[in-house]
Amino acid sequence: MRPTTPLLLLLLALAGCSTLLGTKTIRQQRKFALIAQPLRLAQGASERPYPFKVQLRKVEVSRLYDRDQLVSRLSAYEVREDRWNVWASRPSDMLTITIERYLADSGLFAQFGREFLDQRPDYVFETTVSAIECFASEERSAAHL
């Protein structure tokens, strides 16, 4: 018998045992995205578009929540990052794009956009999000925005 033959037999036996005992399943990350649904507006006697220039600023999200991982609140004082459930992109970017699409599709304003280079907007749309989290306890579970 060659010196490598016992080693090869040992490896085959270990592989067979791991098959009999079961193998560990590999868990994959799940990515979540925010998707804007199309608006269904009944304009009726509306004066749209209103004669205003409106600028949208990027949505401000608290640093704790503006990250890839979803955050679960365990109690009033404890949060946990979920490494298996992540955002497809940062929440501040997804929320800004969603608001931009809704306001652009609504046709509410004469001019609407994120940047006004050579003119000043009449109004600035600013949003701040202090929490985006899942609350999970033994009694109940909920989402908090």
Side-chain angles (χ1 to χ4, degrees), residues 60-67 128-131:
E60 296 274 331
V61 177
S62 170
R63 284 180 42 188
L64 174 63
Y65 301 101
D66 198 26
R67 56 182 66 211
T128 302
V129 176
S130 57

Side-chain angles (χ1 to χ4, degrees), residues 14 22 26 28 33 35 80 84 93 100 105 124-126 140:
L14 288 174
I26 298 173
Q28 293 183 341
I35 299 172
R80 177 183 63 208
W84 300 112
D93 295 334
E100 182 178 30
D105 289 349
V124 176
F125 189 97
E126 294 181 307
R140 66 185 182 112

Side-chain angles (χ1 to χ4, degrees), residues 12-65:
L12 287 173
L14 288 174
C17 288
S18 70
T19 305
L20 290 174
L21 296 174
T23 57
K24 188 176 181 179
T25 58
I26 298 173
R27 191 169 175 188
Q28 293 183 341
Q29 279 188 336
R30 294 174 27 185
K31 292 191 176 194
F32 294 90
L34 189 63
I35 299 172
Q37 298 295 320
L39 286 176
R40 295 187 187 122
L41 298 173
Q43 292 203 6
S46 176
E47 299 174 13
R48 291 181 191 162
Y50 297 108
F52 302 116
K53 295 179 282 234
V54 177
Q55 178 183 13
L56 173 66
R57 293 234 172 106
K58 184 175 180 176
V59 174
E60 296 274 331
V61 177
S62 170
R63 284 180 42 188
L64 174 63
Y65 301 101

Side-chain angles (χ1 to χ4, degrees), residues 109-124:
F109 310 111
Q111 291 182 14
F112 173 76
R114 286 170 127 187
E115 293 184 23
F116 285 84
L117 299 176
D118 55 348
Q119 16 179 327
R120 292 182 62 118
D122 298 312
Y123 295 99
V124 176

